[in-house]
Amino acid sequence: MSFTIIGTGSALPKTIQTNEDLAQFLDTSHEWIVSRTGIEARHICVDESILDIALEASVNALANAQIKPAELDLIICPTLGGDTVTPSLACLIQEQLGATCPSFDLNAACSGFVYGLDVADAYFSRNGDMKILVIAVDAMSKLVDWQDRATAVLFGDGAGATVLTSGDSLKAIQLTAVGNQHALSIPWPKGNHPLTTGQPHPAPYLLMDGPEVYRFAVAAICSDLRSVTQKAGIALADLDYIIPHQANQRIIEGAAKRLKLSIDKFVLRVDGCGNTSAASIPLVLDELNRNGLFKSGTRIALTAFGGGLTTGACVIEWA
Ligand SMILES: CC(C)(COP(=O)(O)OP(=O)(O)OC[C@H]1O[C@@H](n2cnc3c(N)ncnc32)[C@H](O)[C@@H]1OP(=O)(O)O)[C@@H](O)C(=O)NCCC(=O)NCCS
């Protein structure tokens, strides 16, 4: 027994920052950003806290699933971090929803949503009938250096949630991790103990080797999709939708070409949101679900990659 998705929800902060807006204070241009990434705009938390958008997405998912917060047995929150180190964002979401279940955050960077589904799957295997909220949220605008044009233009903020109940929609899932500090990292401030005085504190902003992450991402999408569909016993061509992590349109196009698949099989939503880290896949899931694109039997593959370096992929058959 695994799970079935019975509800989805999402939330984006209301402030939109276009490429032209960024070109006002960064040495960049709309043309450069679109041609290298496909990104045209991103949503940024200005008036909202991270908790605000996480809560909005969670409430939307619960309403879509037609269940009450008190019915939840577990809240898993894939995120790089919320507004506070502790309490965890998951605990604050639980409090605000009025739920009473165990709740925890999970950090697998942009692969976090698929990691969250895998953890949820293990709970269903152990406990059988449950209701689990997986709420993925990241506010990358708080983690990038707004003086660094090579990284700042790539990211945005958002939240995406799913409500899971026991079922057999999950046909296969797999995770990978290859520890690598150099390709993508966000240093943590080192604290202020007197004995550490004098040591330089790295700025707590995202550092990335863009071309290395690009190559890793294209290879990861291809190998993960091949092996997860094989585990599910279906051909790549049998998938109705592939929802990749929305980091860069060129990465997705490169993977489609290598896999000899039509780009039309891949859902591309990089343009309006940029890379929203763990939230990017559930944001798209919610949009497609609300637009009625998923029918009973629709086969969906999710494929994610990110800091760690981590990857995760799964095949879901809509119930
Ligand atoms: C970041 C990325 C778009 C850069 O594209 P690229 O084609 O590899 O570009 P390069 O890094 O080689 O830089 C090319 C030039 O553009 C410049 N440049 C970088 N960012 C720029 C920007 N925003 N505007 C204008 N020029 C920019 C660089 O300084 C460099 O200039 P130079 O040749 O004079 O040194 C690409 O590597 C990428 O998408 N990588 C993956 C990143 C990612 O998705 N990370 C998250 C994973 S979860």
Side-chain angles (χ1 to χ4, degrees):
M1 180 62 72
S2 181
F3 64 74
T4 290
I5 298 174
I6 58 166
T8 62
S10 60
L12 291 166
K14 65 176 185 302
T15 302
I16 296 175
Q17 206 165 32
T18 64
N19 294 341
E20 285 86 357
D21 294 333
L22 297 187
Q24 303 292 312
F25 62 91
L26 280 175
D27 181 15
T28 190
S29 65
H30 175 69
E31 292 68 31
W32 192 96
I33 301 170
V34 169
S35 67
R36 302 291 176 120
T37 71
I39 300 166
E40 296 181 13
R42 69 286 293 144
H43 294 250
I44 304 290
C45 285
V46 176
D47 300 319
E48 305 88 347
S49 66
I50 305 176
L51 177 60
D52 287 338
I53 56 171
L55 199 57
E56 186 183 335
S58 301
V59 167
N60 289 342
L62 290 168
N64 188 237
Q66 297 184 309
I67 73 156
K68 294 186 174 56
E71 294 176 66
L72 287 173
D73 297 295
L74 183 68
I75 298 174
I76 303 173
C77 181
T79 184
L80 288 168
D83 305 297
T84 50
V85 174
T86 190
S88 68
L89 193 48
C91 284
L92 297 178
I93 293 165
Q94 185 243 40
E95 178 191 31
Q96 294 293 313
L97 286 175
T100 54
C101 55
S103 306
F104 60 87
D105 288 0
L106 178 162
N107 180 347
C110 303
S111 309
F113 180 68
V114 181
Y115 265 68
L117 293 182
D118 192 53
V119 173
D121 180 40
Y123 272 90
F124 284 109
S125 298
R126 192 180 74 179
N127 296 349
D129 196 23
M130 294 181 80
K131 291 189 174 55
I132 301 181
L133 172 68
V134 181
I135 160 63
V137 57
D138 271 312
M140 296 304 293
S141 66
K142 299 179 192 298
L143 299 171
V144 296
D145 176 358
W146 285 98
Q147 308 293 316
D148 177 15
R149 66 177 183 173
T151 53
V153 303
L154 303 174
F155 296 95
D157 305 343
T162 52
V163 179
L164 313 176
T165 189
S166 52
D168 61 358
S169 281
L170 184 70
K171 299 303 174 192
I173 189 161
Q174 64 174 50
L175 308 178
T176 76
V178 184
N180 180 332
Q181 197 176 8
H182 152 82
L184 201 168
S185 74
I186 303 173
W188 194 251
K190 284 201 171 120
N192 66 350
H193 188 279
L195 293 180
T196 64
T197 304
Q199 291 184 5
H201 289 204
Y205 300 126
L206 185 140
L207 302 165
M208 185 177 65
D209 180 336
E212 183 178 342
V213 174
Y214 189 104
R215 286 189 295 274
F216 164 76
V218 175
I221 293 175
C222 295
S223 64
D224 280 4
L225 281 178
R226 282 195 187 105
S227 65
V228 83
T229 47
Q230 195 178 13
K231 279 183 196 164
I234 63 168
L236 281 169
D238 295 335
L239 292 168
D240 297 298
Y241 297 98
I242 299 172
I243 305 180
H245 171 44
Q246 308 286 317
N248 180 327
Q249 187 162 325
R250 280 171 61 218
I251 289 175
I252 300 167
E253 288 168 350
K257 199 169 161 197
R258 252 201 228 182
L259 289 167
K260 298 189 172 50
L261 286 174
S262 163
I263 189 67
D264 297 339
K265 245 189 211 311
F266 290 76
V267 187
L268 287 170
R269 293 291 184 276
V270 180
D271 53 349
C273 294
N275 180 346
T276 54
S277 187
S280 88
I281 288 176
L283 274 164
V284 176
L285 257 184
D286 184 45
E287 182 203 311
L288 269 52
N289 182 31
R290 279 169 198 275
N291 288 337
L293 296 180
F294 299 150
K295 316 280 179 219
S296 177
T298 300
R299 287 166 164 175
I300 307 151
L302 313 181
T303 175
F305 54 86
L309 296 166
T310 55
T311 77
C314 65
V315 174
I316 289 167
E317 195 171 290
W318 204 256

